[in-house]
Amino acid sequence: MRRRRSGGPVRLSAAALLLLLGGCRIGMSDDVPPPPPRAGAWSIDYAGPPGQVRMADLAAVSATEAWAVTEERGAADRWKPGLLRLLDGRWSAVQIPAQLRAQPWLRLAAAGPHSVWLYPDAWGGVPPQQTGDAPSGPWKRCPAMRWDGTRWHQVPLDFPPVDLDVVSPDDAWALDASGAARHWDGTRWRTVPLPARGVDIEARAADDVWVAGDQAFDDRPKQPAAVHWDGSGWQLTRLRRYQAPYDAKVVDNGSILWGIRAESASDAWALGVHSVVDGRDEDREEPRGVDERILLHWSGTRWQPMPGPPRPFREKTYGQAVPDGTGGMLLGAWAYRTAEGTYFRIDAPPNTEGWQETGLPPLQRRWLTMVEADVIPGTHTILAAADLVGSHDGVTQLTQPAVIRLTLDAPWRSPLEQPQDAVGRGGSTGVPR
């Protein structure tokens, strides 16, 4: 069983999440069609106390076990990591290995209950911008830690990791701060040169690894890149080239793929953006940014651009792409895409602003930003690390770290595609198999 998505560079800042995921409610005006039919609704699996703690990453490793990382803001904007574990139907805080307690930014990767990795995040809590800038600041060397189901083992690191993915305890892949690929063989890391710069990595098997990133050129803008490892070498796949509009007065222009998810050799998705800073409007004090969202699907032989959600979704759904194992995909916090390309809405948890207003007084309103999502192995149920953000006094915002759960209604699936019967975990947090 392979590890699911790591937080890494796909994780966006709070401001970017509010923009890309529609963290605030998606307002509906008279000229906007009503929301599409619902596919299901988020429920709250775990919620911490409101304050200065936010979610950082999550990994679901089995039908009954998951891990999550939190970050707590302290004095002088110093951050302290926390670790949560779901076991026997209950989320509880667990102790971080001593080797990593001084690291403010930690991320997760997993290949099952006996291979959970906890590693330092070289982005320093700030993921790559849409242009893919490299992380700044010194790298303080420390190890990664691997959980074998009973105890933690130290894995040496001699490079600053920005993303990491795991196939097995002796087969892991990472990207360093320069965008180069590193491979762990159970004994040591070795550099495996990439034909492009990587920012996100997805490893399914020893001979099936994807890297998303970009390519730099001397005479033209950066272009997105998707690179595949077949067990013997990297292959740079062919992608469309993105150019600025012919009538734009270009101040800046570039494209990047910053997220990739693969379900099989013939089913992968990539997310990215083509950004153009257009200075043609002389009445503006600042140049105008024009972003084209990129959504690509790999069929086994080529990448094909796919249409994004329709207008009611307001294009705020590109922060995450989470295939659910049926051909469908969660896209951001609020949209579900079927295998046929039809979009359905995901409703917010109770008393949380979503497609429709809750009707609560302003000081009681809250909205959701999704940080990281993962399919529970063996199911079509999705867990996500999220922040519930509300107003404390009309000015101050308080964040409540949460884990949310989505069991799709999936009325469009045939009976053979439906998730099987639930396995109770106690209370309202049963996990469907």
Side-chain angles (χ1 to χ4, degrees), residues 70-157:
T70 62
E71 297 167 348
E72 180 179 6
R73 186 195 298 269
D77 279 344
R78 293 183 177 178
W79 291 87
K80 177 183 178 181
L83 187 61
L84 299 170
R85 187 186 186 192
L86 171 66
L87 195 63
D88 298 328
R90 182 184 298 274
W91 284 96
S92 58
V94 295
Q95 195 171 53
I96 292 176
Q99 296 89 332
L100 294 178
R101 289 174 195 166
Q103 292 292 325
W105 321 108
L106 298 178
R107 299 295 178 260
L108 287 162
H114 304 293
S115 186
V116 179
W117 292 52
L118 188 64
Y119 67 97
D121 175 21
W123 291 110
V126 181
Q129 303 299 317
Q130 293 177 342
T131 53
D133 293 335
S136 60
W139 159 245
K140 183 179 179 180
R141 182 177 295 186
C142 71
M145 302 299 294
R146 180 180 62 83
W147 175 258
D148 68 0
T150 303
R151 63 188 183 92
W152 292 101
H153 299 266
Q154 184 169 303
V155 180
L157 285 176

Side-chain angles (χ1 to χ4, degrees), residues 42-48 55 57-58 66-68 84 86 91 383-388 400-405:
W42 291 107
S43 61
I44 297 176
D45 217 48
Y46 161 86
M55 279 291 182
D57 203 3
L58 177 143
W67 297 74
L84 299 170
L86 171 66
W91 284 96
L383 283 183
D387 293 325
L388 299 171
Q400 189 174 14
V403 177
I404 54 177
R405 176 183 299 269

